[in-house]
Amino acid sequence: MRRAREIPGPTIERLCKYHRVLARARRQGMSYISSAALAHLTGLSPAQVRKDFSYFGSFGRRGVGYEVHQLLSTLKRLLGLERGRRVAIVGVGHLGSALAGYPGLHSRGFQVAGLYDNNPARIGHLVHGMRVRDVASLAADHAAVPIDIAVLTVPEGAAQAAAEQVVNAGITALLNFTPVALRLPPHVLVRDIDMTAELEYLSFCLSARARAQDEQGG
Amino acid sequence: MRRAREIPGPTIERLCKYHRVLARARRQGMSYISSAALAHLTGLSPAQVRKDFSYFGSFGRRGVGYEVHQLLSTLKRLLGLERGRRVAIVGVGHLGSALAGYPGLHSRGFQVAGLYDNNPARIGHLVHGMRVRDVASLAADHAAVPIDIAVLTVPEGAAQAAAEQVVNAGITALLNFTPVALRLPPHVLVRDIDMTAELEYLSFCLSARARAQDEQGG
């Protein structure tokens, strides 16, 4: 996991949480939000919330809280979301198709710029109103209108080759849904989402808990 | 994020990586694997690999490496996967349907025990050969044959209520695909997968990098 240089990783992750909660607050018509409410909704401490926001130059007013709209604009600028990131989905199977239609992307500043596959049976088909394109055209498409992030939803066996194709096209940020530890040049930003690993983690916790209970009981 | 008591979280996460790489090695017919190969495939250092395995009582033989089958059995026992965890998918929209057919689940010891939804238009339909059941029957189903983990793939607005329904049914481990910070009793294990937050994180890194380049250039 490679991180932006100056702001530490955990802070960036908290900023993402604030952004999510504030976007929802605005949808619900709230104008102000207290640090206590922000803390409750993000699962963080009120002191942490106040510390983060003072670091980024935002100060709540006593008894009123933070201005939702102003805070959102600041965060969007910090998160680089003000101009709407263009996302390509590479691999249009069940998962890729599901993500192409995921309402949480558009509502949070991401635009699905294209769907790509290397399977001739899929290329040309419409998925959520978009035509699936040949992954071989990724480089030309990116040269024409830059793509910010590629989402990798190909089968495990195709992951490394597809990731290299993405990087060779000139895209430098990847969200990897495959369980493969990708080997890519150091300038490429990668985030991994491994669903089965999360299930294994839960499974491990369940086993550990059951053993602890056995030991207490016996 | 709640963790099993004795083994630290990062160790558990590394165990999951080893498990994945070893399962693939076995599928490819390998009998032995070196710590260097394990390190390469997981992106960890060989020293870390040897340290982790000695901690769990496994020792490789010099010049031969670790016995794949034995190591897998040990890990499966540690991860609680030896008996095949039963997973319920709650929310059978695009994402829930995609997960129901995800080949990586079955191959790594998870069994989709049931698909649940509260939408009458979905209940009774076949998805990947399984009939979608009413989420109201979750408690009775869990009482008949226990479900280990619920995967939450409902829309954001339905997340907290659906999670409470899962917990009230008696299920104590949840994989949360919604962007909602669930408020649940402390005995419930929760792992969050927030795809949009990961995209926001990448977006932030891209912006931070662009700013750093501007400053160097200017």
Side-chain angles (χ1 to χ4, degrees):
Chain A
M1 226 81 83
R2 292 150 211 132
R3 300 237 146 112
R5 223 167 292 172
E6 303 193 81
I7 303 175
T11 309
I12 297 180
E13 274 160 24
R14 288 198 301 275
L15 290 183
C16 294
K17 286 189 184 180
Y18 298 138
H19 177 265
R20 193 164 63 220
V21 165
L22 287 165
R24 205 183 318 145
R26 189 179 53 182
R27 282 199 299 277
Q28 294 169 347
M30 289 175 67
S31 299
Y32 289 89
I33 191 165
S34 67
S35 55
L38 267 168
H40 177 70
L41 291 168
T42 53
L44 301 165
S45 73
Q48 180 73 66
V49 170
R50 284 190 295 266
K51 191 178 158 199
D52 285 338
F53 287 174
S54 68
Y55 179 50
F56 290 107
S58 277
F59 300 94
R61 283 195 290 158
R62 186 173 290 273
V64 180
Y66 297 93
E67 225 245 278
V68 171
H69 181 78
Q70 182 220 312
L71 212 48
L72 260 178
S73 305
T74 306
L75 281 172
K76 279 205 165 164
R77 188 170 39 78
L78 283 169
L79 291 166
L81 302 176
E82 80 279 19
R83 63 180 186 82
R85 295 283 186 188
R86 288 167 49 84
V87 172
I89 294 176
V90 179
V92 195
H94 292 296
L95 181 60
S97 302
L99 294 182
Y102 180 53
L105 287 184
H106 188 75
S107 71
R108 277 156 76 192
F110 296 95
Q111 183 202 342
V112 178
L115 310 180
Y116 296 88
D117 211 297
N118 67 356
N119 183 345
R122 282 189 190 142
I123 295 166
H125 279 245
L126 277 178
V127 173
H128 295 287
M130 302 191 71
R131 211 164 285 286
V132 177
R133 292 173 61 75
D134 190 330
V135 71
S137 61
L138 191 57
D141 290 358
H142 174 65
V145 189
I147 291 162
D148 298 298
I149 302 171
V151 176
L152 201 65
T153 46
V154 300
E156 182 172 345
Q160 179 65 32
E164 287 171 13
Q165 210 161 4
V166 163
V167 170
N168 290 339
I171 299 169
T172 60
L174 247 113
L175 183 59
N176 174 28
F177 273 92
T178 81
V180 175
L182 300 171
R183 296 181 295 282
L184 297 173
H187 75 280
V188 180
L189 301 163
V190 180
R191 293 287 286 184
D192 300 302
I193 292 188
D194 187 341
M195 301 169 284
T196 318
E198 297 294 338
L199 284 173
E200 287 173 350
Y201 187 94
L202 285 171
S203 183
F204 187 92
C205 292
L206 287 170
S207 293
R209 192 160 63 181
R211 267 201 304 264
Q213 282 168 354
D214 282 354
E215 280 161 23
Q216 280 179 1
Chain B
M1 226 80 85
R2 292 151 209 131
R3 301 234 144 113
R5 224 167 293 172
E6 301 194 86
I7 302 174
T11 310
I12 296 181
E13 274 159 25
R14 288 198 300 276
L15 290 182
C16 293
K17 286 189 183 178
Y18 298 138
H19 178 265
R20 193 163 63 218
V21 164
L22 288 165
R24 204 182 321 147
R26 189 178 55 182
R27 283 199 300 277
Q28 293 169 347
M30 289 175 67
S31 300
Y32 290 89
I33 190 164
S34 67
S35 54
L38 267 169
H40 177 70
L41 292 168
T42 53
L44 302 166
S45 74
Q48 180 73 64
V49 170
R50 284 189 295 266
K51 191 178 158 200
D52 284 338
F53 287 172
S54 68
Y55 178 52
F56 290 106
S58 276
F59 301 94
R61 283 195 291 159
R62 184 174 289 275
V64 181
Y66 298 92
E67 225 245 278
V68 172
H69 180 79
Q70 183 220 313
L71 212 48
L72 258 180
S73 306
T74 306
L75 280 173
K76 280 205 165 165
R77 188 167 40 75
L78 284 169
L79 291 167
L81 301 177
E82 79 279 20
R83 64 181 182 82
R85 294 283 186 189
R86 287 168 48 84
V87 171
I89 293 176
V90 178
V92 195
H94 292 296
L95 181 60
S97 302
L99 294 182
Y102 181 53
L105 288 184
H106 187 76
S107 72
R108 277 156 78 191
F110 296 94
Q111 182 201 343
V112 179
L115 309 180
Y116 295 88
D117 210 298
N118 68 355
N119 182 345
R122 281 186 191 147
I123 295 167
H125 279 244
L126 278 179
V127 173
H128 294 289
M130 302 191 70
R131 210 164 285 285
V132 178
R133 293 172 60 73
D134 190 331
V135 70
S137 63
L138 191 59
D141 290 358
H142 176 63
V145 188
I147 291 162
D148 298 299
I149 301 171
V151 176
L152 201 64
T153 46
V154 299
E156 183 173 345
Q160 179 64 31
E164 288 172 12
Q165 209 162 6
V166 163
V167 170
N168 290 339
I171 299 169
T172 61
L174 247 110
L175 184 58
N176 175 28
F177 272 92
T178 81
V180 175
L182 300 170
R183 296 179 297 279
L184 297 171
H187 74 280
V188 180
L189 301 163
V190 179
R191 292 288 284 185
D192 299 303
I193 293 186
D194 187 341
M195 301 168 286
T196 318
E198 298 293 339
L199 284 173
E200 287 174 349
Y201 187 94
L202 286 172
S203 183
F204 187 92
C205 294
L206 287 170
S207 291
R209 193 162 59 181
R211 267 200 303 263
Q213 282 168 353
D214 281 354
E215 280 160 24
Q216 279 180 3

PDB file of all heavy atoms in Angstrom, chain B residues 181-204:
ATOM      1  N   ALA B 181     -21.451   3.133   8.755  1.00  0.00           N
ATOM      2  CA  ALA B 181     -20.784   2.703   9.982  1.00  0.00           C
ATOM      3  C   ALA B 181     -21.849   2.094  10.879  1.00  0.00           C
ATOM      4  O   ALA B 181     -22.609   2.805  11.524  1.00  0.00           O
ATOM      5  CB  ALA B 181     -20.113   3.894  10.659  1.00  0.00           C
ATOM      6  N   LEU B 182     -21.933   0.753  10.897  1.00  0.00           N
ATOM      7  CA  LEU B 182     -23.010   0.076  11.614  1.00  0.00           C
ATOM      8  C   LEU B 182     -22.836   0.220  13.130  1.00  0.00           C
ATOM      9  O   LEU B 182     -21.724   0.166  13.639  1.00  0.00           O
ATOM     10  CB  LEU B 182     -23.022  -1.412  11.238  1.00  0.00           C
ATOM     11  CG  LEU B 182     -23.242  -1.717   9.750  1.00  0.00           C
ATOM     12  CD1 LEU B 182     -22.993  -3.198   9.472  1.00  0.00           C
ATOM     13  CD2 LEU B 182     -24.653  -1.321   9.313  1.00  0.00           C
ATOM     14  N   ARG B 183     -23.945   0.443  13.833  1.00  0.00           N
ATOM     15  CA  ARG B 183     -23.928   0.474  15.285  1.00  0.00           C
ATOM     16  C   ARG B 183     -24.541  -0.834  15.785  1.00  0.00           C
ATOM     17  O   ARG B 183     -25.748  -1.045  15.687  1.00  0.00           O
ATOM     18  CB  ARG B 183     -24.720   1.680  15.798  1.00  0.00           C
ATOM     19  CG  ARG B 183     -24.085   3.026  15.389  1.00  0.00           C
ATOM     20  CD  ARG B 183     -24.878   4.213  15.886  1.00  0.00           C
ATOM     21  NE  ARG B 183     -26.224   4.253  15.312  1.00  0.00           N
ATOM     22  CZ  ARG B 183     -26.501   4.728  14.087  1.00  0.00           C
ATOM     23  NH1 ARG B 183     -25.537   5.185  13.307  1.00  0.00           N
ATOM     24  NH2 ARG B 183     -27.740   4.734  13.653  1.00  0.00           N
ATOM     25  N   LEU B 184     -23.664  -1.733  16.297  1.00  0.00           N
ATOM     26  CA  LEU B 184     -24.109  -3.068  16.696  1.00  0.00           C
ATOM     27  C   LEU B 184     -23.507  -3.419  18.055  1.00  0.00           C
ATOM     28  O   LEU B 184     -22.522  -2.803  18.472  1.00  0.00           O
ATOM     29  CB  LEU B 184     -23.684  -4.095  15.640  1.00  0.00           C
ATOM     30  CG  LEU B 184     -24.290  -3.899  14.240  1.00  0.00           C
ATOM     31  CD1 LEU B 184     -23.641  -4.833  13.234  1.00  0.00           C
ATOM     32  CD2 LEU B 184     -25.806  -4.115  14.267  1.00  0.00           C
ATOM     33  N   PRO B 185     -24.095  -4.405  18.765  1.00  0.00           N
ATOM     34  CA  PRO B 185     -23.553  -4.781  20.080  1.00  0.00           C
ATOM     35  C   PRO B 185     -22.085  -5.215  19.957  1.00  0.00           C
ATOM     36  O   PRO B 185     -21.667  -5.724  18.910  1.00  0.00           O
ATOM     37  CB  PRO B 185     -24.433  -5.966  20.499  1.00  0.00           C
ATOM     38  CG  PRO B 185     -25.646  -5.894  19.641  1.00  0.00           C
ATOM     39  CD  PRO B 185     -25.257  -5.205  18.380  1.00  0.00           C
ATOM     40  N   PRO B 186     -21.310  -5.006  21.035  1.00  0.00           N
ATOM     41  CA  PRO B 186     -19.865  -5.258  20.956  1.00  0.00           C
ATOM     42  C   PRO B 186     -19.471  -6.713  20.680  1.00  0.00           C
ATOM     43  O   PRO B 186     -18.355  -6.955  20.226  1.00  0.00           O
ATOM     44  CB  PRO B 186     -19.352  -4.799  22.334  1.00  0.00           C
ATOM     45  CG  PRO B 186     -20.551  -4.683  23.201  1.00  0.00           C
ATOM     46  CD  PRO B 186     -21.726  -4.437  22.328  1.00  0.00           C
ATOM     47  N   HIS B 187     -20.377  -7.681  20.928  1.00  0.00           N
ATOM     48  CA  HIS B 187     -19.998  -9.077  20.660  1.00  0.00           C
ATOM     49  C   HIS B 187     -20.050  -9.415  19.169  1.00  0.00           C
ATOM     50  O   HIS B 187     -19.628 -10.490  18.752  1.00  0.00           O
ATOM     51  CB  HIS B 187     -20.911 -10.040  21.444  1.00  0.00           C
ATOM     52  CG  HIS B 187     -22.293 -10.154  20.864  1.00  0.00           C
ATOM     53  ND1 HIS B 187     -23.280  -9.217  21.090  1.00  0.00           N
ATOM     54  CD2 HIS B 187     -22.843 -11.070  20.030  1.00  0.00           C
ATOM     55  CE1 HIS B 187     -24.388  -9.568  20.444  1.00  0.00           C
ATOM     56  NE2 HIS B 187     -24.151 -10.685  19.793  1.00  0.00           N
ATOM     57  N   VAL B 188     -20.571  -8.509  18.356  1.00  0.00           N
ATOM     58  CA  VAL B 188     -20.691  -8.776  16.917  1.00  0.00           C
ATOM     59  C   VAL B 188     -19.400  -8.360  16.209  1.00  0.00           C
ATOM     60  O   VAL B 188     -18.921  -7.247  16.373  1.00  0.00           O
ATOM     61  CB  VAL B 188     -21.893  -8.014  16.312  1.00  0.00           C
ATOM     62  CG1 VAL B 188     -22.010  -8.299  14.826  1.00  0.00           C
ATOM     63  CG2 VAL B 188     -23.178  -8.399  17.044  1.00  0.00           C
ATOM     64  N   LEU B 189     -18.830  -9.278  15.447  1.00  0.00           N
ATOM     65  CA  LEU B 189     -17.625  -8.985  14.659  1.00  0.00           C
ATOM     66  C   LEU B 189     -18.039  -8.363  13.334  1.00  0.00           C
ATOM     67  O   LEU B 189     -18.892  -8.916  12.643  1.00  0.00           O
ATOM     68  CB  LEU B 189     -16.859 -10.275  14.356  1.00  0.00           C
ATOM     69  CG  LEU B 189     -16.385 -11.118  15.537  1.00  0.00           C
ATOM     70  CD1 LEU B 189     -16.034 -12.522  15.076  1.00  0.00           C
ATOM     71  CD2 LEU B 189     -15.180 -10.449  16.186  1.00  0.00           C
ATOM     72  N   VAL B 190     -17.432  -7.240  12.986  1.00  0.00           N
ATOM     73  CA  VAL B 190     -17.773  -6.576  11.723  1.00  0.00           C
ATOM     74  C   VAL B 190     -16.504  -6.257  10.947  1.00  0.00           C
ATOM     75  O   VAL B 190     -15.522  -5.780  11.524  1.00  0.00           O
ATOM     76  CB  VAL B 190     -18.555  -5.259  11.968  1.00  0.00           C
ATOM     77  CG1 VAL B 190     -18.883  -4.583  10.640  1.00  0.00           C
ATOM     78  CG2 VAL B 190     -19.816  -5.520  12.760  1.00  0.00           C
ATOM     79  N   ARG B 191     -16.507  -6.555   9.659  1.00  0.00           N
ATOM     80  CA  ARG B 191     -15.462  -6.063   8.759  1.00  0.00           C
ATOM     81  C   ARG B 191     -16.155  -5.231   7.689  1.00  0.00           C
ATOM     82  O   ARG B 191     -17.184  -5.635   7.151  1.00  0.00           O
ATOM     83  CB  ARG B 191     -14.696  -7.219   8.087  1.00  0.00           C
ATOM     84  CG  ARG B 191     -13.859  -8.029   9.037  1.00  0.00           C
ATOM     85  CD  ARG B 191     -12.641  -7.294   9.529  1.00  0.00           C
ATOM     86  NE  ARG B 191     -11.580  -7.234   8.533  1.00  0.00           N
ATOM     87  CZ  ARG B 191     -10.385  -6.719   8.807  1.00  0.00           C
ATOM     88  NH1 ARG B 191     -10.110  -6.218  10.004  1.00  0.00           N
ATOM     89  NH2 ARG B 191      -9.465  -6.688   7.881  1.00  0.00           N
ATOM     90  N   ASP B 192     -15.577  -4.073   7.405  1.00  0.00           N
ATOM     91  CA  ASP B 192     -16.170  -3.167   6.432  1.00  0.00           C
ATOM     92  C   ASP B 192     -15.394  -3.195   5.127  1.00  0.00           C
ATOM     93  O   ASP B 192     -14.166  -3.128   5.127  1.00  0.00           O
ATOM     94  CB  ASP B 192     -16.146  -1.735   6.980  1.00  0.00           C
ATOM     95  CG  ASP B 192     -16.952  -1.592   8.257  1.00  0.00           C
ATOM     96  OD1 ASP B 192     -18.153  -1.912   8.219  1.00  0.00           O
ATOM     97  OD2 ASP B 192     -16.380  -1.191   9.287  1.00  0.00           O
ATOM     98  N   ILE B 193     -16.110  -3.310   4.012  1.00  0.00           N
ATOM     99  CA  ILE B 193     -15.507  -3.134   2.692  1.00  0.00           C
ATOM    100  C   ILE B 193     -16.220  -1.968   2.041  1.00  0.00           C
ATOM    101  O   ILE B 193     -17.397  -2.064   1.720  1.00  0.00           O
ATOM    102  CB  ILE B 193     -15.652  -4.406   1.826  1.00  0.00           C
ATOM    103  CG1 ILE B 193     -14.816  -5.530   2.436  1.00  0.00           C
ATOM    104  CG2 ILE B 193     -15.241  -4.123   0.387  1.00  0.00           C
ATOM    105  CD1 ILE B 193     -14.768  -6.780   1.588  1.00  0.00           C
ATOM    106  N   ASP B 194     -15.533  -0.840   1.920  1.00  0.00           N
ATOM    107  CA  ASP B 194     -16.149   0.349   1.363  1.00  0.00           C
ATOM    108  C   ASP B 194     -15.395   0.723   0.090  1.00  0.00           C
ATOM    109  O   ASP B 194     -14.345   1.352   0.108  1.00  0.00           O
ATOM    110  CB  ASP B 194     -16.107   1.488   2.378  1.00  0.00           C
ATOM    111  CG  ASP B 194     -16.897   2.698   1.893  1.00  0.00           C
ATOM    112  OD1 ASP B 194     -17.148   2.803   0.677  1.00  0.00           O
ATOM    113  OD2 ASP B 194     -17.259   3.536   2.727  1.00  0.00           O
ATOM    114  N   MET B 195     -15.973   0.309  -1.045  1.00  0.00           N
ATOM    115  CA  MET B 195     -15.290   0.487  -2.330  1.00  0.00           C
ATOM    116  C   MET B 195     -15.088   1.952  -2.649  1.00  0.00           C
ATOM    117  O   MET B 195     -14.027   2.342  -3.122  1.00  0.00           O
ATOM    118  CB  MET B 195     -16.130  -0.157  -3.428  1.00  0.00           C
ATOM    119  CG  MET B 195     -16.338  -1.635  -3.174  1.00  0.00           C
ATOM    120  SD  MET B 195     -17.604  -2.321  -4.253  1.00  0.00           S
ATOM    121  CE  MET B 195     -19.091  -1.659  -3.492  1.00  0.00           C
ATOM    122  N   THR B 196     -16.119   2.772  -2.386  1.00  0.00           N
ATOM    123  CA  THR B 196     -15.994   4.182  -2.741  1.00  0.00           C
ATOM    124  C   THR B 196     -14.931   4.850  -1.882  1.00  0.00           C
ATOM    125  O   THR B 196     -14.192   5.716  -2.354  1.00  0.00           O
ATOM    126  CB  THR B 196     -17.353   4.897  -2.605  1.00  0.00           C
ATOM    127  OG1 THR B 196     -18.360   4.060  -3.128  1.00  0.00           O
ATOM    128  CG2 THR B 196     -17.348   6.187  -3.378  1.00  0.00           C
ATOM    129  N   ALA B 197     -14.825   4.454  -0.612  1.00  0.00           N
ATOM    130  CA  ALA B 197     -13.787   5.022   0.246  1.00  0.00           C
ATOM    131  C   ALA B 197     -12.401   4.693  -0.305  1.00  0.00           C
ATOM    132  O   ALA B 197     -11.488   5.514  -0.248  1.00  0.00           O
ATOM    133  CB  ALA B 197     -13.945   4.497   1.673  1.00  0.00           C
ATOM    134  N   GLU B 198     -12.242   3.491  -0.856  1.00  0.00           N
ATOM    135  CA  GLU B 198     -10.947   3.120  -1.452  1.00  0.00           C
ATOM    136  C   GLU B 198     -10.655   3.977  -2.685  1.00  0.00           C
ATOM    137  O   GLU B 198      -9.528   4.406  -2.906  1.00  0.00           O
ATOM    138  CB  GLU B 198     -10.926   1.634  -1.823  1.00  0.00           C
ATOM    139  CG  GLU B 198     -11.081   0.675  -0.650  1.00  0.00           C
ATOM    140  CD  GLU B 198      -9.902   0.710   0.310  1.00  0.00           C
ATOM    141  OE1 GLU B 198      -8.808   1.151  -0.083  1.00  0.00           O
ATOM    142  OE2 GLU B 198     -10.078   0.320   1.482  1.00  0.00           O
ATOM    143  N   LEU B 199     -11.687   4.223  -3.496  1.00  0.00           N
ATOM    144  CA  LEU B 199     -11.513   5.097  -4.661  1.00  0.00           C
ATOM    145  C   LEU B 199     -11.167   6.515  -4.213  1.00  0.00           C
ATOM    146  O   LEU B 199     -10.315   7.175  -4.801  1.00  0.00           O
ATOM    147  CB  LEU B 199     -12.788   5.115  -5.503  1.00  0.00           C
ATOM    148  CG  LEU B 199     -13.051   3.883  -6.365  1.00  0.00           C
ATOM    149  CD1 LEU B 199     -14.418   3.962  -7.014  1.00  0.00           C
ATOM    150  CD2 LEU B 199     -11.976   3.732  -7.440  1.00  0.00           C
ATOM    151  N   GLU B 200     -11.808   6.983  -3.138  1.00  0.00           N
ATOM    152  CA  GLU B 200     -11.511   8.326  -2.632  1.00  0.00           C
ATOM    153  C   GLU B 200     -10.073   8.397  -2.139  1.00  0.00           C
ATOM    154  O   GLU B 200      -9.394   9.404  -2.292  1.00  0.00           O
ATOM    155  CB  GLU B 200     -12.488   8.691  -1.511  1.00  0.00           C
ATOM    156  CG  GLU B 200     -13.879   8.988  -2.038  1.00  0.00           C
ATOM    157  CD  GLU B 200     -14.908   9.211  -0.939  1.00  0.00           C
ATOM    158  OE1 GLU B 200     -14.615   8.946   0.249  1.00  0.00           O
ATOM    159  OE2 GLU B 200     -16.022   9.654  -1.277  1.00  0.00           O
ATOM    160  N   TYR B 201      -9.628   7.310  -1.529  1.00  0.00           N
ATOM    161  CA  TYR B 201      -8.251   7.266  -1.043  1.00  0.00           C
ATOM    162  C   TYR B 201      -7.276   7.392  -2.231  1.00  0.00           C
ATOM    163  O   TYR B 201      -6.335   8.179  -2.195  1.00  0.00           O
ATOM    164  CB  TYR B 201      -8.037   5.951  -0.303  1.00  0.00           C
ATOM    165  CG  TYR B 201      -6.706   5.865   0.384  1.00  0.00           C
ATOM    166  CD1 TYR B 201      -6.579   6.224   1.713  1.00  0.00           C
ATOM    167  CD2 TYR B 201      -5.578   5.432  -0.291  1.00  0.00           C
ATOM    168  CE1 TYR B 201      -5.354   6.162   2.353  1.00  0.00           C
ATOM    169  CE2 TYR B 201      -4.349   5.365   0.329  1.00  0.00           C
ATOM    170  CZ  TYR B 201      -4.247   5.721   1.652  1.00  0.00           C
ATOM    171  OH  TYR B 201      -3.031   5.660   2.264  1.00  0.00           O
ATOM    172  N   LEU B 202      -7.520   6.640  -3.295  1.00  0.00           N
ATOM    173  CA  LEU B 202      -6.678   6.731  -4.494  1.00  0.00           C
ATOM    174  C   LEU B 202      -6.726   8.136  -5.082  1.00  0.00           C
ATOM    175  O   LEU B 202      -5.712   8.704  -5.490  1.00  0.00           O
ATOM    176  CB  LEU B 202      -7.146   5.716  -5.550  1.00  0.00           C
ATOM    177  CG  LEU B 202      -6.803   4.253  -5.286  1.00  0.00           C
ATOM    178  CD1 LEU B 202      -7.502   3.351  -6.294  1.00  0.00           C
ATOM    179  CD2 LEU B 202      -5.299   4.038  -5.355  1.00  0.00           C
ATOM    180  N   SER B 203      -7.933   8.701  -5.103  1.00  0.00           N
ATOM    181  CA  SER B 203      -8.113  10.037  -5.652  1.00  0.00           C
ATOM    182  C   SER B 203      -7.297  11.041  -4.855  1.00  0.00           C
ATOM    183  O   SER B 203      -6.632  11.915  -5.421  1.00  0.00           O
ATOM    184  CB  SER B 203      -9.602  10.388  -5.585  1.00  0.00           C
ATOM    185  OG  SER B 203      -9.839  11.634  -6.168  1.00  0.00           O
ATOM    186  N   PHE B 204      -7.336  10.890  -3.533  1.00  0.00           N
ATOM    187  CA  PHE B 204      -6.563  11.781  -2.673  1.00  0.00           C
ATOM    188  C   PHE B 204      -5.071  11.652  -2.963  1.00  0.00           C
ATOM    189  O   PHE B 204      -4.359  12.655  -3.067  1.00  0.00           O
ATOM    190  CB  PHE B 204      -6.842  11.457  -1.210  1.00  0.00           C
ATOM    191  CG  PHE B 204      -6.217  12.447  -0.284  1.00  0.00           C
ATOM    192  CD1 PHE B 204      -6.928  13.548   0.152  1.00  0.00           C
ATOM    193  CD2 PHE B 204      -4.909  12.290   0.127  1.00  0.00           C
ATOM    194  CE1 PHE B 204      -6.343  14.483   0.972  1.00  0.00           C
ATOM    195  CE2 PHE B 204      -4.311  13.223   0.955  1.00  0.00           C
ATOM    196  CZ  PHE B 204      -5.028  14.321   1.381  1.00  0.00           C
TER     197      PHE B 204
END
